[in-house]
Amino acid sequence: MEIATGAFQGVSVLIPAHNEADWLPACLDALCAADPVAGPVEVIVVANGCTDDTAEVARKKAPAFEARGWAFRVLELAQGSKLGALNAGEAAARGAVLVYLDADVLISPPLLAQLAEALVEDAPRYASGMPQVTTSGDWVSRHYTRFWQTTGFMTHGVPGFGVFAMNRAGRARWGEWPDIISDDTFARLNFRPEERIAVPAPYAWPMIEGFAPLVRVRRRQDIGVAEVEQLFPDLMRNDDAHDQMRPFWRRALADPLGALVFVAVRLTIHAPVFRSANRWVRGR
């Protein structure tokens, strides 16, 4: 992909949003409170297939960003498609660094500047911050989350779910986003482990609440990863090696209740009652 006409050597933040009116204000408030970034910043919210007032909610935040000197735009797409939203957002983006931010994620103030600084080099690079997985009190989600955070996916490498970034040299590795479920997995695996950078700033990512929604969404995520593996097998060589992680039984001894809930969710994922033809099932 090429930088659009009138490009600046700054940062473009792309926020795909499908019926995110309840979550988007806090996401945008956190983004607007970010530390200063070297160079210009533009924020592009792509409201796709919304039946609520996501787009209007986003537009109400424009004055706050403009007061910072940041460009702010809202694009509206009739069709609900996260990948379509990413393609549309990228077509409008001018930044040399592209940041992909989910509408329910809260970044910490230093994160945007750290991502921009990490990606200034010419070689292809990918970056993300340190995820802080949050729960709202549901005991199943709380125990599941605690144990899930001991898995190799969470303890090794740069997971990149919820927010990730890349420079233009990295984004040039593929054309339009393919029609897949797990865009974050696809993006991450287009970079070798040594090309992925973990910056120290955290961000808050909310875990799905409740046993049934958790099972549905985690099952969709499993399908998404398997889909990437099937369609793009060459990318799997870029996955992180998890040979050094603690074995399951040691983690289970340290947290038996968390392990029990984790196993119960994993087993239920394969139950026929949770199978659905809808690839985009939402937990909220």
Side-chain angles (χ1 to χ4, degrees):
M1 294 184 65
E2 297 181 355
I3 300 176
T5 302
F8 51 51
Q9 294 302 304
V11 176
S12 295
V13 183
L14 309 179
I15 308 176
H18 172 71
N19 290 344
E20 298 285 3
D22 291 338
W23 292 88
L24 188 58
C27 172
L28 293 176
D29 287 345
L31 178 60
C32 195
D35 291 347
V37 177
V41 177
E42 67 176 354
V43 177
I44 303 174
V45 178
V46 188
N48 58 99
C50 296
T51 57
D52 65 0
D53 58 345
T54 291
E56 184 58 30
V57 165
R59 290 190 183 97
K60 290 179 180 178
K61 298 293 183 179
F65 287 94
E66 292 165 359
R68 293 202 58 172
W70 292 8
F72 186 87
R73 283 179 284 174
V74 179
L75 306 180
E76 293 189 70
L77 305 181
Q79 182 178 359
S81 166
K82 185 176 183 181
L83 286 309
L86 294 181
N87 287 326
E90 288 177 343
R94 299 173 294 156
V97 171
L98 301 172
V99 178
Y100 303 81
L101 176 63
D102 284 356
D104 57 359
V105 166
L106 306 179
I107 69 168
S108 64
L111 181 57
L112 191 62
Q114 290 182 9
L115 292 174
E117 184 178 0
L119 296 171
V120 293
E121 58 183 288
D122 294 332
R125 290 293 182 268
Y126 166 104
S128 185
M130 299 297 173
Q132 294 181 338
V133 184
T134 62
T135 60
S136 298
D138 177 80
W139 75 270
V140 169
S141 295
R142 186 172 68 252
H143 293 303
Y144 176 90
T145 297
R146 188 176 63 249
F147 196 82
W148 179 60
Q149 289 177 307
T150 71
T151 63
F153 173 70
M154 291 294 291
T155 60
H156 291 68
V158 188
F161 56 90
V163 56
F164 58 87
M166 65 192 76
N167 56 19
R168 287 282 180 169
R171 181 58 186 87
R173 287 187 164 170
W174 70 94
E176 288 198 340
W177 288 87
D179 182 20
I180 55 175
I181 296 172
S182 190
D183 56 286
D184 53 348
T185 300
F186 176 80
R188 176 172 56 86
L189 294 181
N190 265 279
F191 297 83
R192 299 186 302 275
E194 64 270 20
E195 295 176 323
R196 301 195 287 262
I197 303 167
V199 302
Y203 62 93
W205 182 87
M207 177 60 75
I208 300 301
E209 302 290 334
F211 185 83
L214 182 59
V215 167
R216 284 194 293 267
V217 171
R218 302 311 292 186
R219 180 178 185 276
R220 184 201 71 190
Q221 291 168 341
D222 281 3
I223 293 172
V225 173
E227 182 181 52
V228 171
E229 185 173 1
Q230 178 182 3
L231 296 177
F232 308 98
D234 290 345
L235 294 183
M236 301 312 297
R237 66 176 181 268
N238 292 333
D239 202 2
D240 293 296
H242 298 149
D243 297 340
Q244 303 303 316
M245 67 173 292
R246 288 191 302 163
F248 179 88
W249 68 268
R250 286 188 180 276
R251 293 181 286 129
L253 284 177
D255 183 7
L257 182 54
L260 180 63
V261 173
F262 182 84
V263 169
V265 170
R266 298 302 308 168
L267 290 175
T268 311
I269 282 173
H270 302 287
V273 68
F274 286 99
R275 294 176 185 170
S276 171
N278 181 5
R279 298 167 72 238
W280 300 102
V281 59
R282 292 168 59 91
R284 298 186 262 276

